[in-house]
Every structure is written in C-alpha cells, then in structure tokens.
Amino acid sequence: MRFAGYAALFDRVDRGGDVVRPGAFAEAVRAGPGRVPLLWQHEQGRPIGRIEMLAEDRRGLRVIGRLSARSAAGREAAALLRDGAVGGLSFGYRVRAGVGERPRELRDLELVEVSLVTMPMQPAARVHAVTEEE
C-alpha cells in the first residue's frame, strides 16, 4: 500500500505551540527520502515501510510512503489506514534554528523520522490519498 499526505504544514501553530516555516526541511529534501525512516506512532522499534518522496511545496512537507506487508507493524498500519481508523502524519525532529517561545518558529530542522499516527501534533497533517498497488 502507498499513501501520500502532509507530515507538516507551514505557518500554522501546532498543539505544542510551534510553527514550521517554509524551508525548514530543505536539507532533508536535498538528502533524499532514503535517510528518513517511516515509523508507526513515532516508535523507533516499529518501522512500517519506507518514504519514497519528500518535498516542500507551498503548503508544507509532502510525503509519499510505501507500507511494508513484510512486517506486522506495516500490516497493522495498512489495515487501520484502509479502515479509516488512522490517517494522521507527524514527524520527529531536532531544531537547528528556531526563534521565540510561544509560538516558536522552526526555521531549520533535522528531520529524524516520519510517522503514521492516530493524533498528529498538527491536526491538518493527514494522509490524503491511498493506493493498494504493490
């Protein structure tokens, strides 16, 4: 199963009081998707597939991912995504450049992982397309 969506949206305050600014993921996009793991609910021990594409556009950080049928976590994620029980996207990061406190502007981030999640920190960070192709 493949999916597409936004792991981050620019210029919107998230539930933690952070605002990601355009360009914050420039280094990760340049490095390519192969360096960013795709996880289930931010759990490092539960990879669920791989990121095939990372790009910044005017809206945010767009991702295309492929879930693995070879792992239990990947099969679980696919089933819940298929059923509509899960559809949020999120990301793990380290701040390289940020300004302020509330809201904190995140201008340069080290992208550590992208996760399929139940409750994203940015409520509008969602999967918007799913295909069943292998």
Side-chain angles (χ1 to χ4, degrees):
M1 172 183 284
R2 294 178 75 204
F3 67 87
Y6 285 88
L9 298 173
F10 295 141
D11 302 324
R12 296 185 187 193
V13 178
D14 68 20
R15 292 178 179 153
D18 291 336
V19 177
V20 178
R21 296 297 187 205
F25 300 103
E27 188 172 312
V29 170
R30 266 193 306 278
R35 295 177 184 234
V36 180
L38 177 60
L39 302 179
W40 180 238
Q41 308 282 358
H42 296 294
E43 294 182 34
Q44 293 179 16
R46 297 190 73 194
I48 58 173
R50 70 180 193 272
I51 299 296
E52 294 184 333
M53 190 274 301
L54 282 174
E56 281 194 6
D57 63 17
R58 290 182 1 198
R59 187 169 184 217
L61 180 65
R62 187 165 183 273
V63 300
I64 296 176
R66 182 180 298 272
L67 299 175
S68 174
R70 294 184 179 179
S71 76
R75 290 189 301 274
E76 177 185 6
L80 291 169
L81 186 59
R82 188 179 296 114
D83 292 346
V86 170
L89 287 169
S90 190
F91 63 98
Y93 62 97
R94 291 184 190 95
V95 178
R96 286 195 283 251
V99 176
E101 290 187 27
R102 290 265 181 188
R104 178 174 61 160
E105 292 185 32
L106 304 177
R107 296 181 178 178
D108 185 10
L109 299 174
E110 177 187 351
L111 184 61
V112 176
E113 53 91 4
V114 171
S115 284
L116 191 59
V117 298
T118 307
M119 304 235 353
M121 186 67 78
Q122 176 53 255
R126 316 275 321 158
V127 170
H128 58 75
V130 176
T131 61
E132 291 287 341
E133 68 184 51
E134 284 297 317

